[in-house]
Amino acid sequence: MTTTPEKSTDHHSEQMKIAVSKDGPYIVTGGIPLKTEEICNDDEGNCRTWKETKSYPLRQQYALCRCGRSKNMPFCDGTHAQVHFDGTESGNREPYIEGAEVIRGPALTLADNEHLCVHARFCMRAGGIWNLVRQSGNDEARDTAIEEACNCPSGRLAVYDNATGKAIEPDLEKSIVVVEYPPRGEHGPLWVRGGIPVVSAEGTPYEIRNRVTLCRCGKSGNKPFCDGSHIGQ
């Protein structure tokens, strides 16, 4: 079921944070669950669902690799210092909606901030989410568009119900997911779910969103966020 998540008032949740360290790892605090999930294809080869393949022991604090060179993935092992990793943050700080193209259909409105794309490819099925939104007066097209938008890990794609004006968002557990895509041999980003704050090395918070993706290959031009640079490595 998809919902518009409400802000949590749980004290434990309020302590959750991901801090970007200068030219180093992500410092994760507050006991955030960590797991690995794989993108799964349907019978026609389309990206369709997620499958959890590993859940790590819960720890109050840990460091996740940001340079892409650790021998203890997804955790940092200090290699960033040896390879002189340049982790300079260049992510755009404008609010999500200000950088989004808006497409209005009969029942749904799509906000598409292409700058955030990580090429997870959930949006391509059934003619693509853009056409589906334009055809959203049809129940099947509407439902498929919602499914595709909610599976977009970076939140590049967000759909809004025209009747209420509210965003339709997946109800995601506060957690971090290491994304893998075995059919193409791709090692994807860190999928940060449930509105966990991400803070820059300078101490400035980024916009809090229900889902964002952080680079873990070290090559993104949109650090700390993923820009799909892991594709083809």
Side-chain angles (χ1 to χ4, degrees):
M1 180 177 181
T2 55
T3 61
T4 301
E6 298 179 357
K7 290 185 178 180
S8 172
T9 56
D10 178 76
H11 179 70
H12 177 67
S13 295
E14 291 176 353
Q15 305 303 310
M16 292 181 173
K17 183 177 73 173
I18 301 171
V20 181
S21 63
K22 181 175 173 56
D23 299 331
Y26 302 107
I27 306 301
V28 181
T29 54
I32 302 174
L34 177 66
K35 56 191 69 178
T36 297
E37 292 193 14
E38 294 180 353
I39 297 173
C40 301
N41 289 350
D42 61 18
D43 292 339
E44 297 178 348
N46 298 304
C47 296
R48 186 67 178 268
T49 58
W50 294 92
K51 179 177 71 174
E52 182 178 325
T53 57
K54 184 172 183 177
S55 180
Y56 294 85
L58 188 64
R59 297 163 60 180
Q60 286 302 303
Q61 180 171 322
Y62 50 92
L64 294 176
C65 177
R66 191 159 74 95
C67 73
R69 305 283 290 275
S70 172
K71 295 179 177 60
N72 187 34
M73 286 290 191
F75 301 102
C76 173
D77 68 354
T79 300
H80 59 274
Q82 301 170 23
V83 299
H84 305 292
F85 170 60
D86 181 359
T88 302
E89 297 167 69
S90 57
N92 193 327
R93 289 188 176 274
E94 70 177 358
Y96 163 83
I97 198 63
E98 290 187 12
E101 177 186 2
V102 176
I103 298 172
R104 187 174 179 86
L108 297 174
T109 293
L110 172 68
D112 176 8
N113 192 323
E114 189 175 0
H115 184 65
L116 301 176
C117 186
V118 300
H119 307 295
R121 305 182 184 90
F122 284 99
C123 57
M124 307 304 294
R125 181 167 54 90
I129 191 171
W130 304 270
N131 288 329
L132 291 167
V133 166
R134 294 186 180 99
Q135 301 166 15
S136 58
N138 174 283
D139 288 347
E140 183 177 356
R142 177 185 183 277
D143 291 347
T144 303
I146 292 172
E147 180 183 339
E148 292 185 4
C150 288
N151 272 327
C152 174
S154 70
R156 165 192 170 174
L157 303 167
V159 290
Y160 298 78
D161 186 331
N162 289 349
T164 65
K166 293 183 178 180
I168 302 173
E169 279 285 319
D171 187 9
L172 298 172
E173 170 199 18
K174 289 182 181 294
S175 56
I176 300 172
V177 170
V178 180
V179 175
E180 299 285 354
Y181 185 24
R184 288 179 177 257
E186 294 171 1
H187 306 289
L190 297 170
W191 180 17
V192 179
R193 312 192 301 184
I196 299 169
V198 178
V199 180
S200 74
E202 296 177 348
T204 306
Y206 288 95
E207 180 182 17
I208 296 177
R209 303 186 62 228
N210 186 36
R211 48 205 163 107
V212 298
T213 43
L214 300 178
C215 173
R216 71 177 177 111
C217 72
K219 299 185 181 300
S220 174
N222 189 34
K223 293 183 182 71
F225 302 104
C226 173
D227 69 354
S229 291
H230 58 277
I231 303 296
Q233 288 193 48

